[in-house]
Amino acid sequence: MELTMVKTMTQRLGIFLALAAVMAVTRIHLSLLHHSVDDASWAIFFLAGFWLRGEGRWAGLRWAFPLLMAEAVLVDYLVISGQGLDFWSHYCVSAAYWFLVPSYLSLWLGGSWLAKHQAGLRLHTLGMAVVALLVSWTACYLLSNGSFYWLSDSVPLPRNFAAWFANLGDWYLPFLQTTALYVGVGAVLHVLAIQIARTMHADQAKLPR
């Protein structure tokens, strides 16, 4: 019995709530044990695409993605306004801010693609996961970073490709490491859940009928 995807709506709702909670806590940048917590949002959208894909291609995308997107904007609004600042005039909010939708969507689609094509707990699946994460993460990074650089009034003029490429290089690895770390934690939890489910299924099969 190969359990690789969430099967019931109850399971999907449970995972959605867990992912939403992690994103809320880390996006607010709370301090736990006197250490800053890196934002897990990018990893959350990738993992959500994998776990909440559903039976149809757009099943999870119809409800989970919009809710997570709305949560991200709401958290940003609460954090910024909570500091006594105007949300719409904040450094991070510009025309580029709305490019977070296609940016996060690329991560969701990367996770969804992996869910469709993975082959269970095999080395081949690990390779596919690495490729899916790198491709979708890079697309997200280019969209979010590029839109901010070229569209935000916070970036001083003149703008040029050389400066943009330098900026891309400065933040590429730190952002990738954070996302990969959270996705790695999610992968470990996924494997543990499958192993537990296998054990429970095997124990049930041994029961007298």
Side-chain angles (χ1 to χ4, degrees), residues 163-181:
W164 179 43
F165 290 152
N167 183 268
L168 284 173
D170 289 340
W171 296 104
Y172 187 90
L173 285 180
F175 274 60
L176 177 59
Q177 289 171 351
T178 297
T179 304
L181 176 62

Side-chain angles (χ1 to χ4, degrees), residues 51-136:
W51 283 327
L52 304 177
R53 181 177 183 273
E55 297 302 325
R57 176 179 297 181
W58 310 112
L61 189 61
R62 285 196 297 264
W63 65 274
F65 179 82
L67 288 177
L68 287 173
M69 197 70 240
E71 179 194 1
V73 175
L74 177 61
V75 170
D76 290 348
Y77 176 81
L78 293 176
V79 170
I80 293 172
S81 60
Q83 297 173 344
L85 303 174
D86 178 46
F87 177 76
W88 300 107
S89 60
H90 190 266
Y91 173 85
C92 294
V93 180
S94 65
Y97 182 78
W98 305 111
F99 275 78
L100 289 181
V101 176
S103 298
Y104 291 167
L105 180 60
S106 67
L107 288 165
W108 176 286
L109 293 177
S112 180
W113 178 89
L114 178 62
K116 180 179 179 180
H117 295 91
Q118 54 80 33
L121 300 183
R122 300 176 183 175
L123 188 60
H124 177 64
T125 298
L126 177 60
M128 294 175 65
V130 172
V131 171
L133 179 60
L134 282 176
V135 171
S136 60

Side-chain angles (χ1 to χ4, degrees), residues 9 30 43 46 56 60 64 67 70 85 92 96 99 119 123 139 143-144 149 163-164 169 179 182-183 192 199 201 204:
M9 191 60 183
L30 292 177
F46 182 85
L67 288 177
L85 303 174
C92 294
F99 275 78
L123 188 60
L143 283 168
S144 59
Y149 181 84
W164 179 43
T179 304
Y182 281 118
V183 171
L192 289 176
T199 301
H201 179 74
Q204 291 176 355

